[in-house]
Amino acid sequence: MKMYKENREAIEQLITDYFEGIFNGEVDKLERSFHDDVHLYGDIKGVDYLKSKYDYLEGVKNRKSPKALGEEFNMSIVGLDVLGKVAMAKLHVPFSGYNYYDYLSFAKIDGQWIIVNKVFTHVE
């Protein structure tokens, strides 16, 4: 039970870094959160979105952050499932006029949790 709690807390901290990276425009936090080989796939108002980690980070770097735009932080964890060295999270990530839901896959590699996959959609 202790190992489960420690893993859950580590993943929740990683999700916090992910949220802060998006909301505050902290590209360094996002870069540390994602595995180098991660791909991000989404559906934004019916338009497919597929990017590498580095293309995604470039986009974050070149936009005004939700915080800089004066938005209120409303991101949250909807669900988290941890089993051994893998985990899945469903997140609600509303910002900049979008109502995103993210599904993140995590793996514990070399003793550290990291995001290995992201799929998301915008819900009207």
Side-chain angles (χ1 to χ4, degrees), residues 68-118:
L69 294 170
E71 294 182 26
E72 187 176 326
F73 181 90
N74 288 314
M75 299 175 189
S76 63
I77 299 172
V78 176
L80 178 59
D81 188 16
V82 183
L83 189 59
K85 292 175 57 174
V86 298
M88 292 287 298
K90 179 180 180 183
L91 310 176
H92 187 210
V93 189
F95 72 94
S96 298
Y98 291 92
N99 187 37
Y100 292 117
Y101 283 88
D102 293 359
Y103 292 88
L104 301 181
S105 300
F106 303 86
K108 191 171 189 179
I109 301 172
D110 296 327
Q112 298 293 317
W113 286 99
I114 194 154
I115 301 167
V116 294
N117 189 50
K118 171 182 172 175

Side-chain angles (χ1 to χ4, degrees), residues 32-97:
R32 287 192 308 269
S33 298
F34 288 109
H35 189 277
D36 286 341
D37 293 328
V38 72
H39 282 90
L40 299 88
Y41 173 78
D43 167 27
I44 305 172
K45 295 186 177 183
V47 177
D48 289 339
Y49 173 107
L50 178 62
K51 294 198 175 184
S52 71
K53 169 184 174 175
Y54 300 102
D55 290 337
Y56 171 71
L57 294 175
E58 195 62 31
V60 172
K61 202 181 303 182
N62 292 315
R63 69 162 165 79
K64 277 199 162 198
S65 72
K67 182 178 181 178
L69 294 170
E71 294 182 26
E72 187 176 326
F73 181 90
N74 288 314
M75 299 175 189
S76 63
I77 299 172
V78 176
L80 178 59
D81 188 16
V82 183
L83 189 59
K85 292 175 57 174
V86 298
M88 292 287 298
K90 179 180 180 183
L91 310 176
H92 187 210
V93 189
F95 72 94
S96 298

